[in-house]
Amino acid sequence: MRLIFLGPPGSGKGTQAALLEQRHGLCQISTGDILRQAVADGTPLGREAKACMDKGALVPDRVVIGIVEEKLKGRECEKGFVLDGFPRTTGQAEALDAIMRDFPAPQAHRIDRVVAFQVDEGALVTRLSGRRTCGECQAMYHLTLSPPRVEGVCDRCGGRLVQRNDDREEVIRERLAVYEESTRPLLEFYGGRGQLIRLPAVGPVEDVHAALKAAVGL
Ligand code: ADP
Ligand code: AMP
């Protein structure tokens, strides 16, 4: 199964994509995670992306399109994938169409469903300002909504939990504005093709997971 997750920052795309990877073997392709890793590694890609990310702006289309194209061609995507945080602009969505068209016929990649995560803005700000991520394995927590067993320590690998640079309130507001301007138009882009499913993504993580699976037919 090939899925796109659309939705504002903090709507739970990464949390749900990780569950689909763990439980259903779908490859999670998170452009945000890939870019953050590049920043941490100090690669040329990371150096180019960092300034945009720190202020809550989007990284240029050509940069992320190249990342996704390479990932989609990898063997780990053969069983299916979840695009988490891509596309985010109409230009990226059109480039994705072209990438799909170019795949050789036997493995021709077709997007099955586009899931639009829906969460109101107040809840998004609460989720993002309390989000903590494991610096080692990227597991996701929230200070109050899904805390680790031991404060500041990852349940899964014992790594230290960190707050993302862009999860400060002023940057959160900018990211939500960027979503409204650049990414929300994609709801119409995919809605017009009959591929869009709107998912109310509130309530416990496991309830959202169950609703998501029912919606996409997994
Ligand atoms: P996104 O990838 O869309 O930016 P995340 O998956 O990183 O969103 O989730 C943002 C924050 O909200 C994280 O701290 C996560 O633990 C928390 N979260 C995710 N899903 C839920 C949920 N259903 N209810 C409450 N908090 C959630
Ligand atoms: P995310 O982890 O999805 O919240 O993304 C964090 C940041 O990475 C964003 O605010 C952007 O700066 C950058 N980014 C991630 N995905 C994309 C994308 N598809 N297009 C442009 N920038 C992106």
Side-chain angles (χ1 to χ4, degrees):
M1 176 161 284
R2 289 131 188 182
L3 302 174
I4 291 175
F5 283 180
L6 281 183
S11 56
K13 304 180 299 296
T15 301
Q16 296 298 330
L19 287 178
L20 290 186
E21 180 168 271
Q22 284 158 27
R23 298 177 185 177
H24 295 274
L26 301 186
C27 175
Q28 176 186 9
I29 304 176
S30 161
T31 42
D33 283 352
I34 295 167
L35 291 167
R36 275 184 292 281
Q37 189 61 53
V39 171
D41 293 344
T43 64
L45 165 66
R47 284 198 294 276
E48 181 173 3
K50 186 175 181 343
C52 299
M53 295 173 78
D54 282 350
K55 60 177 193 248
L58 294 181
V59 171
D61 280 357
R62 71 180 157 72
V63 174
V64 279
I65 290 165
I67 293 174
V68 170
E69 180 161 21
E70 195 186 314
K71 271 287 202 185
L72 286 174
K73 288 181 174 159
R75 295 211 62 177
E76 67 273 23
C77 286
E78 280 173 7
K79 282 197 343 208
F81 56 79
V82 182
L83 282 168
D84 159 18
F86 179 94
R88 261 169 145 108
T89 64
T90 307
Q92 292 177 20
E94 287 166 352
L96 179 62
D97 281 347
I99 294 170
M100 296 290 175
R101 271 197 304 272
D102 286 351
F103 268 83
Q107 304 110 309
H109 280 42
R110 200 177 56 81
I111 297 297
D112 296 298
R113 292 273 183 242
V114 180
V115 183
F117 284 58
Q118 298 187 304
V119 176
D120 70 57
E121 186 169 327
L124 293 174
V125 175
T126 305
R127 285 186 184 187
L128 290 170
S129 46
R131 172 161 63 185
R132 296 293 182 271
T133 315
C134 174
E136 303 295 324
C137 74
Q138 312 305 321
M140 193 77 69
Y141 298 89
H142 187 280
L143 285 181
T144 53
L145 301 170
S146 52
R149 283 192 292 272
V150 178
E151 195 184 324
V153 180
C154 179
D155 292 348
R156 215 195 286 164
C157 76
R160 199 169 63 85
L161 302 188
V162 292
Q163 181 173 32
R164 278 169 46 171
N165 261 351
D166 57 354
D167 278 346
R168 287 170 291 120
E169 179 132 5
E170 64 281 13
V171 188
I172 291 173
R173 296 280 172 204
E174 174 61 19
R175 288 162 61 212
L176 292 174
V178 167
Y179 171 80
E180 289 300 323
E181 180 167 338
S182 301
T183 310
R184 187 179 282 283
L186 293 183
L187 298 181
E188 249 175 68
F189 181 96
Y190 289 113
R193 298 177 176 188
Q195 283 179 299
L196 192 75
I197 297 173
R198 292 177 194 271
L199 182 78
V202 288
V205 168
E206 288 298 338
D207 292 2
V208 176
H209 179 63
L212 168 65
K213 285 204 306 177
V216 300
L218 252 178

